[in-house]
Amino acid sequence: MSKKIKVTVWNEYLHELENEEIGAIYPQGIHGTIEAFLSKEGDMQVRCATLREEEHGLTQEVLDQTDVLIWWGHKAHDQVDDAVVDRVHQRVLAGMGLVVLHSGHFSKIFKKLMGTTCSLRWREAGEKERVWVVEQGHPIAQGLDHYFEVPNSEMYGERFDIPEPDTLVFISWYEGGEVFRSGCCYQRGRGKIFYFGPGHETHPIYHQKEIQLVIKNAVRWAQPTFSLAQPLSGDWVPPLEPLA
Ligand code: ZN
């Protein structure tokens, strides 16, 4: 049996507890919904972590046991401890995959990895979002048609202040006329990062099969391709050949 991908789903987990309608869409929290559909995959072993836990549930021990971290946050980005952000950052550079969802665009960890403001235009009108696959051969787009639609979404529009993605997999169009780079791949150090736009908490977006497929694909794409225990090389070394 091949080794399972160790996934940690991190959620701020505040909206679901504070707002009844959101709690009804995600009775186990957004993280619980994501954990449930990922756990059905035979090649993934999934755990969750949330903001209010000690060290936000992201102790060194947990990160050492994480191949791919999924991140959903919105209203409490500033409550995430800088020491935890640094720890996650180091782990990404060492090779851990990171999948940043929706309003995670403004999280400390995403902004740190991007080095830009990551600001965007937005509108909460429950309008239709059409997600276009612009890189059909990409592993994250496997199993999708030319496009799929999210019936009710929050508009996220350009300009999205991110560095140019290494690969742009999706572009979204919204009923109100804007477009958005909604599926962006990056590499930082040894780690692979995927940003995925859809996921506003007042709509049942993480229950949609195409959205679930993208997240499953993204986890497999972002998994480390070598041992994370391998140290980053930064040592003085003798020459391989004798120097004249
Ligand atoms: Zn939102």
Side-chain angles (χ1 to χ4, degrees):
M1 203 184 83
S2 65
K3 214 167 121 270
K4 293 195 180 199
I5 308 168
K6 287 176 267 180
V7 184
T8 301
V9 183
W10 191 87
N11 180 16
E12 151 185 302
Y13 195 33
L14 298 177
H15 288 290
E16 301 95 317
L17 299 174
E18 294 168 7
N19 179 305
E20 237 173 76
E21 284 169 36
I22 298 168
I25 298 171
Y26 297 111
Q28 269 74 52
I30 286 173
H31 55 293
T33 295
I34 294 173
E35 180 192 28
F37 71 74
L38 290 181
S39 294
K40 288 185 188 146
E41 301 299 296
D43 58 345
M44 298 182 197
Q45 181 187 313
V46 192
R47 74 202 298 173
C48 293
T50 55
L51 178 72
R52 294 282 182 256
E53 290 169 52
E54 188 78 20
E55 300 182 54
H56 315 314
L58 296 176
T59 59
Q60 190 63 55
E61 199 184 350
V62 168
L63 286 178
D64 286 347
Q65 289 299 312
T66 301
D67 296 320
V68 179
L69 177 64
I70 296 177
W71 194 280
W72 196 103
H74 179 223
K75 60 195 281 188
H77 294 314
D78 60 338
Q79 292 176 34
V80 178
D81 193 79
D82 289 337
V84 174
V85 175
D86 287 344
R87 193 183 289 156
V88 172
H89 185 244
Q90 285 306 312
R91 182 77 175 163
V92 171
L93 297 182
M96 179 181 74
L98 179 67
V99 178
V100 176
L101 299 173
H102 188 57
S103 38
H105 73 91
F106 245 11
S107 61
K108 286 182 178 176
I109 183 61
F110 190 62
K111 290 197 283 189
K112 189 179 175 85
L113 286 160
M114 295 298 107
T116 55
T117 69
C118 300
S119 64
L120 45 75
R121 299 180 337 124
W122 58 277
R123 175 174 62 240
E124 273 187 65
E127 66 204 270
K128 179 160 72 184
E129 174 177 358
R130 185 174 291 143
V131 183
W132 286 95
V133 178
V134 294
E135 209 55 74
Q136 290 188 312
H138 197 278
I140 295 177
Q142 290 311 295
L144 293 172
D145 208 335
H146 292 280
Y147 67 86
F148 66 92
E149 292 179 348
V150 180
N152 301 103
S153 197
E154 178 183 17
M155 189 283 291
Y156 271 9
E158 299 287 340
R159 175 172 158 77
F160 183 18
D161 187 30
I162 45 170
E164 185 179 2
D166 297 339
T167 308
L168 181 62
V169 183
F170 303 121
I171 295 176
S172 287
W173 165 91
Y174 298 86
E175 231 173 323
E178 288 84 357
V179 293
F180 181 64
R181 288 170 289 172
S182 54
C184 305
C185 297
Y186 296 93
Q187 176 135 1
R188 290 291 182 272
R190 291 172 178 167
K192 296 197 194 82
I193 301 160
F194 181 64
Y195 173 78
F196 187 46
H200 187 63
E201 66 278 3
T202 61
H203 308 298
I205 293 175
Y206 296 115
H207 293 291
Q208 190 176 329
K209 67 177 190 333
E210 293 94 339
I211 298 289
Q212 296 184 357
L213 178 62
V214 169
I215 294 172
K216 288 181 230 175
N217 286 346
V219 165
R220 293 191 181 106
W221 169 82
Q223 67 175 305
T225 45
F226 60 92
S227 166
L228 273 164
Q230 198 177 316
L232 291 163
S233 56
D235 297 333
W236 179 89
V237 287
L240 296 178
E241 319 293 342
L243 297 173

